[in-house]
Amino acid sequence: MAPMHPHNVAILKSLVSVAWSDGDFGASEKEMLDALLVAFDASEEQSNELRTYAATKRTIEDVPIDELSADDLRVLIQHAVLLTFIDGEQNTKERAFVEELARYVGIPDTEAKELIESAEKRAKKNLSLL
């Protein structure tokens, strides 16, 4: 199996920071990480490395911006929103983190607002699937 593409590793590391945004990397977040590792075809070694990485609290400063393209950053914001709903609801800390993340990675405010709103609408519509 070919190793996971570096930009996918960077997206997963970024999502770990999102998962920690409420101060807890709980069972729902661990399940989501495991599902993403499968979806991204991570090798066993990569999966173990990312699980170890996720075991330590991560912040916005841990987001590897330089390893992500402009398109990757937009995908990241959409995935981040979905992740904040993983435990059934998005709390204010999580929402604020996603908004801060969009600013941190340089997405213009108007575009970020649209990205976040459309992802929130999709997340709420599909809550039963998360």
Side-chain angles (χ1 to χ4, degrees):
M1 173 190 297
M4 193 170 38
H5 194 282
H7 77 265
N8 287 335
V9 173
I11 286 174
L12 290 177
K13 284 184 173 181
S14 301
L15 291 174
V16 167
S17 294
V18 175
W20 275 104
S21 67
D22 65 355
D24 181 45
F25 191 82
S28 297
E29 287 89 355
K30 288 176 185 168
E31 287 175 21
M32 175 69 123
L33 176 60
D34 285 341
L36 288 168
L37 290 168
V38 170
F40 283 120
D41 289 326
S43 68
E44 191 61 37
E45 182 181 339
Q46 289 172 318
S47 295
N48 290 336
E49 285 175 17
L50 281 160
R51 285 184 193 106
T52 299
Y53 178 84
T56 301
K57 185 175 187 335
R58 302 295 172 173
T59 66
I60 201 162
E61 287 82 24
D62 292 308
V63 174
I65 299 172
D66 297 342
E67 298 173 33
L68 296 166
S69 71
D71 287 342
D72 293 335
L73 294 171
R74 280 141 184 88
V75 169
L76 169 61
I77 297 302
Q78 292 174 333
H79 282 45
V81 170
L82 293 176
L83 181 58
T84 63
F85 280 93
I86 197 65
D87 54 7
E89 64 181 16
Q90 180 190 58
N91 69 38
T92 54
K93 279 184 183 177
E94 292 167 327
R95 180 176 173 83
F97 186 89
V98 171
E99 292 170 353
E100 182 184 356
L101 179 62
R103 282 190 299 277
Y104 184 75
V105 301
I107 297 175
D109 288 346
T110 305
E111 182 184 356
K113 185 175 190 269
E114 290 172 11
L115 272 173
I116 292 167
E117 285 176 359
S118 68
E120 284 176 348
K121 184 187 251 183
R122 197 167 40 255
K124 289 174 184 175
K125 179 181 162 197
N126 296 302
L127 256 174
S128 64
L129 302 175
L130 297 176

